[in-house]
């Protein structure tokens, strides 16, 4: 049912790697390492500033993909892959967008399951890709029925 | 600082045992991440979804696991972090974080990583490629 979405992309959205958001995020995963939150340590580091933890892009807005209306309940997160060319730096602006890479259905124990592969991108001011984040979302039959009846 | 270059294949980074998972941990993660799916914070919603109780965000566990590498950012960075979500994490679970070096190739260190619960069952597992400068 998401077959028509394959290849579709969201409109890019500008996000700031905000100092307060990085600190709050680092604390929420029990990782208040000075490289993330101590300004002085950041300044003296090889990065010249603080960096963000690798799963920080969870916070970013990647825009909406037209026609892809996922419920916020009933989805199972199957896989997550982050790829980085370098760490995210506190204070920088990252342009984010998302793309539907694939969709397929498979018969499982709990009926027909949908597998949706999404890929998120983050680019810096120079237009270089800083990271990508791929996720595999598993959608069960009852959720699929609910979405289709909308 | 852990001396990565002294690690041999099969060696582990210093593993970490987390304090038992609390509701407040998950409320904080919901707020910090923006993931307000109520199965992670509200008992009734978890029960309505057929769960015995609230479960941790998979990304909370994945976020926690990455801290095994936080001491190493002066000599490199996580180039790839790949996780499969395998089992649910419930309140009061005691999660242990592990990273074992499985291969070295030039400036890349390949680790098997996992977060397991108090029964030794994997909640998440996968791979980290740490690239040194």
């Amino acid at each position: 049912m998401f077959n028509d979405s394959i290849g579709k992309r969201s409109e890019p959205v500008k996000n700031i790697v905000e100092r307060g958001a990085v600190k709050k995020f680092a604390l929420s995963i029990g990782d208040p390492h000075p490289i993330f939150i101590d300004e002085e340590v950041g300044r003296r580091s090889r990065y010249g500033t603080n960096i963000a933890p690798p799963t920080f892009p969870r916070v970013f807005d990647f825009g909406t993909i037209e026609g892809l209306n996922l419920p916020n309940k009933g989805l199972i997160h199957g896989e997550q892959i982050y790829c980085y060319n370098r760490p995210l730096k506190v204070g920088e602006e990252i342009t984010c967008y998302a793309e539907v890479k694939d969709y397929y259905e498979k018969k499982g124990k709990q009926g027909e399951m949908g597998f949706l592969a999404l890929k998120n991108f983050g680019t810096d001011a120079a237009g270089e890709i800083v990271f990508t984040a791929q996720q595999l979302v598993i959608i069960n039959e009852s959720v699929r029925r609910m979405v289709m009846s909308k | 600082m852990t001396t990565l270059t002294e690690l041999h294949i099969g060696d582990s980074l210093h593993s970490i045992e987390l304090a038992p998972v609390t509701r407040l941990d998950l409320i904080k993660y919901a707020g910090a991440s923006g993931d307000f799916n109520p199965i992670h914070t509200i008992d009734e919603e978890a029960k309505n979804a057929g769960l015995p109780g609230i479960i941790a965000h998979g990304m909370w566990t994945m976020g926690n696991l990455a801290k095994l590498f936080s001491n190493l950012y002066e000599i490199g960075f996580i180039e790839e972090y790949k996780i499969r979500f395998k089992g649910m994490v419930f309140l009061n679970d005691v999660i242990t974080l592990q990273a074992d070096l499985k291969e070295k190739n030039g400036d890349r260190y390949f680790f098997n990583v996992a977060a397991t619960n108090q029964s030794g069952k994997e909640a998440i597992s996968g791979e980290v490629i740490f690239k040194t400068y």
Side-chain angles (χ1 to χ4, degrees):
Chain A
M1 75 176 163
F2 292 114
N3 288 313
D4 295 346
S5 299
I6 296 171
K8 278 193 184 165
R9 266 191 188 190
S10 65
E11 281 295 314
V13 180
K14 286 180 178 175
N15 288 265
I16 305 283
V17 183
E18 201 264 319
R19 177 172 296 284
V22 168
K23 182 174 179 178
K24 204 167 32 156
F25 188 84
L27 287 168
S28 81
I29 53 170
D31 193 11
H33 195 281
I35 193 66
F36 303 134
I37 62 178
D38 186 317
E39 273 196 77
E40 187 52 35
V41 168
R43 202 176 299 124
R44 287 200 318 259
S45 76
R46 67 180 302 124
Y47 306 101
T49 183
N50 295 108
I51 60 172
T55 62
F56 184 73
R58 186 71 191 82
V59 172
F60 291 153
D61 181 355
F62 290 91
T64 45
I65 296 171
E66 201 201 316
L68 186 71
N69 299 308
L70 289 176
N72 75 332
K73 290 186 201 174
L75 303 179
I76 300 161
H77 197 172
E79 276 177 38
Q80 179 77 32
I81 308 170
Y82 287 101
C83 293
Y84 278 89
N85 287 318
R86 62 165 174 84
L88 288 164
K89 294 176 186 176
V90 165
E92 74 175 326
E93 186 178 88
I94 298 289
T95 300
C96 298
Y97 58 93
E99 189 180 316
V100 179
K101 296 303 280 186
D102 199 8
Y103 178 74
Y104 52 92
E105 286 167 7
K106 269 202 289 201
K107 267 231 177 322
K109 269 179 249 161
Q110 285 133 19
E112 190 103 322
M113 307 289 269
F115 294 81
L116 183 67
L118 300 167
K119 191 168 182 179
N120 294 334
F121 298 81
T123 60
D124 64 13
E128 301 286 336
I129 287 183
V130 179
F131 72 89
T132 63
Q134 291 166 260
Q135 60 192 104
L136 186 66
V137 178
I138 304 164
I139 308 158
N140 69 27
E141 204 160 8
S142 60
V143 172
R144 289 195 298 130
R145 249 186 254 119
M146 200 171 73
V147 175
M148 281 199 279
S149 64
K150 265 190 203 161
Chain B
M1 185 179 289
T2 317
T3 41
L4 189 67
T5 48
E6 287 171 12
L7 280 188
H8 296 103
I9 308 298
D11 285 352
S12 305
L13 293 179
H14 190 66
S15 76
I16 295 177
E17 185 181 287
L18 302 181
V21 178
T22 68
R23 187 184 304 269
L24 204 51
D25 288 337
L26 306 182
I27 291 172
K28 281 182 189 162
Y29 187 78
S33 70
D35 181 347
F36 292 105
N37 186 335
I39 62 164
H40 303 304
T41 49
I42 300 168
D43 297 324
E44 216 182 322
E45 294 280 355
K47 294 209 167 97
N48 288 343
L51 299 166
I54 61 168
I55 56 167
H57 306 73
M59 291 299 297
W60 175 82
T61 313
M62 186 174 181
N64 267 276
L65 184 51
K67 70 181 151 201
L68 294 176
F69 297 86
S70 295
N71 272 328
L72 301 171
Y73 287 119
E74 211 40 52
I75 56 171
F77 68 101
I78 291 178
E79 183 179 54
E80 193 175 310
Y81 184 19
K82 183 177 178 175
I83 282 298
R84 257 184 195 210
F85 300 97
K86 294 189 161 171
M88 292 182 273
V89 173
F90 296 99
L91 288 184
N92 299 314
D93 276 359
V94 176
I95 300 299
T96 301
L97 312 173
Q98 288 163 282
D100 305 322
L101 185 64
K102 85 173 160 181
E103 194 188 328
K104 272 198 264 188
N105 191 351
D107 53 3
R108 287 184 171 84
Y109 292 72
F110 298 77
F111 288 90
N112 286 325
V113 294
T116 49
N117 70 11
Q118 61 281 0
S119 317
K121 206 169 160 279
E122 281 182 355
I124 66 173
S125 68
E127 194 186 3
V128 163
I129 303 176
F130 192 87
K131 187 173 186 284
T132 55
Y133 292 114

